Amino acid sequence: MSTTETRVRRSTDRRVATAVVLVLVAVVWILVNGPVEGPVLIVFTKNHGLTVADLPSLAAIGVAALLVWPRSRR
């Protein structure tokens, strides 16, 4: 494996690892954010909805998706 291939591989591995951590943190946050939920932004059912405190988790999942999205070759 060439030096360039090794660097690309390490970079990809780091991006995937970072994405996994972001998703795990997002899921944990959704499970424990009850005391700070704030207003409901979107109601799904009588007992379920999207709250202000859920937004950081959505952002983290979005960043994770961008990290693992295939990049075009230059």
Side-chain angles (χ1 to χ4, degrees):
M1 196 179 288
S2 73
T3 304
T4 303
E5 290 172 337
T6 303
R7 279 191 220 142
V8 169
R9 172 77 178 193
R10 286 182 185 160
S11 175
T12 301
D13 290 347
R14 280 190 219 119
R15 285 195 319 268
V16 170
T18 302
V20 168
V21 170
L22 280 171
V23 169
L24 290 174
V25 169
V27 169
V28 168
W29 177 247
I30 287 173
L31 296 174
V32 300
N33 72 7
V36 294
E37 280 191 334
V40 177
L41 302 174
I42 300 173
V43 176
F44 299 120
T45 67
K46 183 179 177 185
N47 297 321
H48 295 88
L50 178 71
T51 65
V52 171
D54 296 331
L55 296 179
S57 290
L58 290 177
I61 291 169
V63 170
L66 289 174
L67 285 171
V68 297
W69 195 268
R71 296 179 179 202
S72 61
R73 297 253 175 200
R74 295 180 189 199

